[in-house]
Amino acid sequence: MTRYAIDRLVVVPDDIDLSRSPLAGQLDAETYVLGTFNPGLTRLPNGNLLLMVRVAEALRHPIADNHVRAIRWEDGRFVLDAWPLAAADTSDPRKFMVYGHQWKVMALTSLSWLLPMEMTPDGLDVVAIHYDRAIAPQSSLQCYGIEDARISRVGERWLMTACAVSPERHCTVLYSSGNALDWRYEGIVLDHQNKDMVIFEGLIGGQYWAQTRPLGDLYFAYPPDSPWRAGPSINLASSPDALHWRPRPEPGIRSHAGVVATVRIGGGAPPVLTDQGWLCLWHGVEPHEIVGIYRTYWSLLDRNDPSRVIATRHEPVLEPNPELTRPLEHQMYLRNVVFTTGMVDAGDHYVVASGEADLACRITHISKDVLFDG
């Protein structure tokens, strides 16, 4: 039983018309929608909400003729690459690992693009699907796709970060807009393997601020009696123009030694300013099987110094909800994941957008009383 009055899936794979996909007619292979998830969220000038949905378009039969295939953008069109099946680990339906390297190398059996979906002001019903404004790869650094948009409104401008995937780099790119529907590509803002960049919805000391999360597989230990756990952290960066970012020396949100749900952490919804400080929703991961269990947590940051955490709660705000995905059981390929990517103020509550099970878009109305006092 949910403690929220409204908590439902609003976009599912069957809602997408692949005849209007950027990939339509370009591949000599059948594709399907593996997932519609991890949507950026903002309020449009007309009062409606915008979900920038990640559409993972996958090969129906990635394995053929003793090869496993990947979709890739190249010189303005989409192509297929075939890898010998004996040289790949295909146990994960979303990707395959390529053997024979001194480090981990993988390719994807799906390619993600971004689809703007206009919703009613409460986020529960679709008003329009803007296929004509879909955002697809347009350079070699995005050749495996564009993932996990986050949208921030700063003044009269909307800024959208997304993860670009390619052999060249795994980086964060930026788009900007004056109306949240027509987006201009601004290029790379954070380089190799820096994910989950979320820009604060407002300036601090005349500067843009962002939470970042560089990846790695080596961390130096805290002292044995430290309250912190060595590992990934949510770091901070600032910028004079939202294009050129400088990492801040102060620590941001770190994994706490007393809980197991922050073995991996990362930014979720762009922080919004409240009377108490900057409210941010972020994800923490508990080890479990291959992917882990993803949950959403909240922290309050000082309005003038976001490196100072005023409050945080180890109990999750949102957890994976298998009841929501039960009607989609035939399409499930992943479980135990809720991945929050957007939040807008709706008066006495927040409208929160998340990806559920890497399959569907979930909208939850979270009362401010429940969030701060529950």
Side-chain angles (χ1 to χ4, degrees), residues 1 7-9 11-14 320-337 356-357 359-362:
M1 165 134 353
D7 186 23
R8 68 177 69 162
L9 301 186
V11 182
V12 299
D14 290 347
N321 186 347
E323 289 301 315
L324 295 179
T325 54
R326 198 170 303 282
L328 306 175
E329 189 65 33
H330 61 292
Q331 296 173 305
M332 296 285 287
Y333 61 94
L334 186 69
R335 302 179 191 277
N336 299 314
V337 172
E356 185 75 12
L359 184 68
C361 294
R362 175 179 173 180

Side-chain angles (χ1 to χ4, degrees), residues 222-235:
Y222 284 102
D225 58 351
S226 172
W228 309 114
R229 181 197 306 272
S233 59
I234 301 174
N235 296 348

Side-chain angles (χ1 to χ4, degrees), residues 180-213:
L181 281 174
D182 301 296
W183 294 92
R184 183 175 70 180
Y185 178 54
E186 303 285 2
I188 299 174
V189 287
L190 290 180
D191 208 344
H192 198 63
Q193 295 207 25
N194 204 318
K195 297 185 65 179
D196 297 325
M197 180 186 187
V198 293
I199 297 174
F200 286 65
E201 291 209 313
L203 303 179
I204 304 174
Q207 297 274 305
Y208 295 88
W209 280 67
Q211 294 178 322
T212 71
R213 202 286 300 277

Side-chain angles (χ1 to χ4, degrees), residues 32-325:
Y32 73 104
V33 179
L34 179 70
T36 52
F37 57 109
N38 297 2
L41 176 68
T42 193
R43 194 172 295 283
L44 294 168
N46 65 7
N48 288 338
L49 296 185
L50 181 81
L51 288 180
M52 186 64 77
V53 178
R54 174 182 171 183
V55 179
E57 187 167 346
L59 294 170
R60 176 71 70 183
H61 305 292
I63 297 174
D65 299 324
N66 291 316
H67 285 75
V68 58
R69 298 175 296 174
I71 306 173
R72 182 171 53 85
W73 180 95
E74 181 180 74
D75 297 330
R77 63 175 291 107
F78 296 93
V79 299
L80 295 177
D81 297 325
W83 296 81
L85 191 57
D89 176 357
T90 61
S91 58
D92 190 323
R94 303 166 301 170
K95 62 188 180 184
F96 57 91
M97 306 303 296
V98 180
Y99 297 138
H101 296 272
Q102 295 180 350
W103 41 77
K104 292 186 292 185
V105 174
M106 72 178 181
L108 304 176
T109 57
S110 66
L111 185 143
S112 291
W113 46 278
L114 304 178
L115 179 61
M117 299 187 69
E118 189 170 345
M119 312 294 289
T120 50
D122 56 11
L124 300 179
D125 296 293
V126 177
V127 174
I129 304 178
H130 297 287
Y131 286 98
D132 58 326
R133 291 180 166 95
I135 297 176
Q138 61 186 92
S139 73
S140 59
L141 66 90
Q142 301 171 324
C143 72
Y144 279 140
I146 308 168
E147 304 174 353
D148 300 351
R150 290 357 193 267
I151 302 175
S152 305
R153 183 174 181 177
V154 185
E156 296 304 310
R157 187 162 71 136
W158 283 263
L159 301 170
M160 179 172 69
T161 59
C163 186
V165 186
S166 75
E168 296 174 8
R169 44 171 50 103
H170 195 181
C171 62
T172 300
V173 294
L174 180 72
Y175 298 82
S176 65
S177 177
N179 61 10
L181 281 174
D182 301 296
W183 294 92
R184 183 175 70 180
Y185 178 54
E186 303 285 2
I188 299 174
V189 287
L190 290 180
D191 208 344
H192 198 63
Q193 295 207 25
N194 204 318
K195 297 185 65 179
D196 297 325
M197 180 186 187
V198 293
I199 297 174
F200 286 65
E201 291 209 313
L203 303 179
I204 304 174
Q207 297 274 305
Y208 295 88
W209 280 67
Q211 294 178 322
T212 71
R213 202 286 300 277
L215 295 177
D217 59 7
L218 173 65
Y219 300 93
F220 288 92
Y222 284 102
D225 58 351
S226 172
W228 309 114
R229 181 197 306 272
S233 59
I234 301 174
N235 296 348
L236 294 164
S238 59
S239 169
D241 56 9
L243 294 173
H244 304 88
W245 292 89
R246 183 175 183 178
R248 303 291 303 188
E250 308 92 343
I253 297 174
R254 291 171 283 172
S255 296
H256 196 277
V259 296
V260 298
T262 53
V263 67
R264 287 200 310 276
I265 65 175
V272 298
L273 190 60
T274 72
D275 292 340
Q276 296 94 334
W278 292 99
L279 171 64
C280 61
L281 303 182
W282 49 275
H283 63 267
V285 185
E286 177 183 349
H288 181 72
E289 298 178 345
I290 296 175
V291 175
I293 302 173
Y294 280 71
R295 301 180 177 95
T296 299
Y297 301 85
W298 72 261
S299 294
L300 275 173
L301 312 179
D302 185 88
R303 64 186 303 136
N304 298 313
D305 178 9
S307 69
R308 192 167 77 85
V309 179
I310 298 172
T312 194
R313 185 167 291 158
H314 295 317
E315 296 77 22
V317 175
L318 280 179
E319 297 191 73
N321 186 347
E323 289 301 315
L324 295 179
T325 54

